[in-house]
Amino acid sequence: MTLLDARVVEHHDLERLPTRAVADTTVRRRQFPRGLERLAGVVLLFAIWELAARVGWLSPKVLAGPSTVLTAGVDMVRDGTLGTALWASVQRVFWGLGLGIPIGAALALVAGLSRTGDDMIDANVQMLRFVPIIGLQPLLILWIGIGETAKISLIVLGVAFPVYVNTYAAIRSLDPGHLQLADVVGLGRWSRIRRVILPGALPGFLVGVRMATAVAWLLLVFAEQINARSGLGYLMIRAQTFFQSDVIVVCLVVYAVLGLLSDGLVRLLERTLLRWQPGR
Amino acid sequence: MSAAVLARGVRRTFAGREVLRGLDVELADGDFVALLGRSGSGKSTFLRALAGLDRGVEGELLVPSRRSVVFQDARLLPWASVLDNVVLGLRRRDALAQGRAALAEVGLAGHEDDWPKTLSGGEAQRAALARALVREPQLLLLDEPFGALDALTRIRMHALVQQLCGRYHPAVLLVTHDVDEALLLADRVLVLSDGVISLDAPVDVPSPRLRADRQFIHLRSRLLAELGVDETAEGAHDPLVVRA
Ligand SMILES: Nc1ncnc2c1ncn2[C@@H]1O[C@H](COP(=O)(O)OP(=O)(O)OP(=O)(O)O)[C@@H](O)[C@H]1O
Ligand SMILES: [Mg+2]
């Protein structure tokens, strides 16, 4: 059945817009799901990697093959080294985020809500923002030594900045119409903050949190490789001195999985908190 | 009868340009006044001043404390449900019940828990009207609240606003482009041009008001002339389509 006569289409020089095809069950070609197709490339890479390791093109000092890495991973889980290291690392990130996010958000609120706060806080933060956080490490060590506090402090600093910057920008760019509405319906200071300013700034805050989680893992690796007695970074540095490339790869994989998990967690948070946004 | 609005010598300047230049307006309790004017003549600016939203305005302004505004845009908070928007800032104990009732009155029963972004333009504007009504204002400021509505909803809204004003007797200032709308609803029409009220006329059209009424036609011509629209010119009726 033709809905639009081909002649008509030609005559008027019309453009056919893409529409959903009517479900046609008779001539359905069997297809692999797109996700499986994409996986083929990854499988191929791993196969070549494994082959290279087996044949001896890759020395285990340079890069262990996938099967060796897997065995190393299983061994590390069995003897508890991975678990202990993971727990130490996760705790540091947890404290870093747990302190850094509230600090960044609180500073942004004070700066965004009061003129004095703005004068006192924002100019300073915007200036310090351009100091590379990693460059603060020597100073931190001078101040608080090389213990747990120093590592966590570095993460806290790195986390607080993106949270502050994004939350502050969100408060500053709130819809003036919404603030006007708050005046019209006679919201008090606290209701105004709770009903209009906080929910309006929430999307920006969450963007900051997402950036902060990425930064947190990054700084964790850095801090743990400088001087640590525990954690994933410490495992990697130790493996380096013993030429255990398999252990290093195991740690990298764990880092990647952790990053992915925490990003997924923030996305989930966004989906639940920003339900009101269209397209969620 | 006591006054609901006393505005004297109202001036407003934006970047050296005087939009309002010494406006004098008085509204009595229960007055329904339409404010006409060309686009950019300062109608919304004056309305913002009356709403108490403009600190940069000069002159004398006396208004009641219970005021409601319906803006040109619906201005709903996207993160609050429709019902929460309607009762926003309302401190009465039965606020939620009142809010539901107001939503039902504007034909939005069943949309209480919707997110504002899922409403159509007309529905959003009706929710904004419900938000204004539920406060039982002494002064109701309407900034082209029917502009985005379809013809049928518009008629229903006209009836609703009239019915409501009959019940609570607020003073109403309705800003509109639409001369017919002004003549159908208002007791008095004001024309704002060049920053002052250039015309202030009562609407002496017997109710029910009909567009075919002789007085209606007469006043309509006068207002159009004041607004600088040449009625005889071709297409003069286009921007002032008879909506009902
Ligand atoms: N906040 C502002 N800053 C600068 N200029 C402004 C501001 N608000 C209004 N104006 C100017 O004042 C004039 C009047 O604006 P206003 O919004 O009151 O017009 P209006 O009569 O409501 O027009 P319309 O019918 O199109 O809504 C316009 O020229 C506008 O550019
Ligand atoms: Mg306007």
Side-chain angles (χ1 to χ4, degrees), chain A residues 7-90:
Chain A
R7 274 175 305 131
V8 178
V9 173
E10 267 169 42
H11 183 243
H12 288 285
D13 198 15
L14 300 176
E15 182 189 1
R16 185 182 295 277
L17 295 176
T19 54
R20 237 184 65 177
V22 181
D24 191 350
T25 43
T26 50
V27 263
R28 189 159 186 183
R29 211 159 46 100
R30 274 193 62 85
Q31 268 187 338
F32 285 113
R34 188 81 187 100
L36 277 184
E37 268 180 40
R38 286 173 61 86
L39 218 55
V42 179
V43 170
L44 191 68
L45 179 73
F46 272 78
I48 292 174
W49 178 10
E50 178 70 30
L51 186 75
R54 292 267 169 106
V55 176
W57 296 335
L58 269 179
S59 137
K61 265 194 225 168
V62 177
L63 188 62
S67 55
T68 324
V69 170
L70 197 67
T71 332
V74 171
D75 285 348
M76 287 163 72
V77 172
R78 287 247 175 81
D79 67 13
T81 39
L82 191 61
T84 320
L86 190 63
W87 179 234
S89 291
V90 167

Side-chain angles (χ1 to χ4, degrees), chain A residues 127-140 154 157-158 161 219 222:
Chain A
M127 180 181 67
L128 290 174
R129 187 155 77 95
F130 293 101
V131 176
I133 296 293
I134 289 177
L136 288 177
Q137 175 86 336
L139 211 53
L140 280 176
L154 190 73
L157 275 174
F161 277 97
L219 289 177
F222 174 75

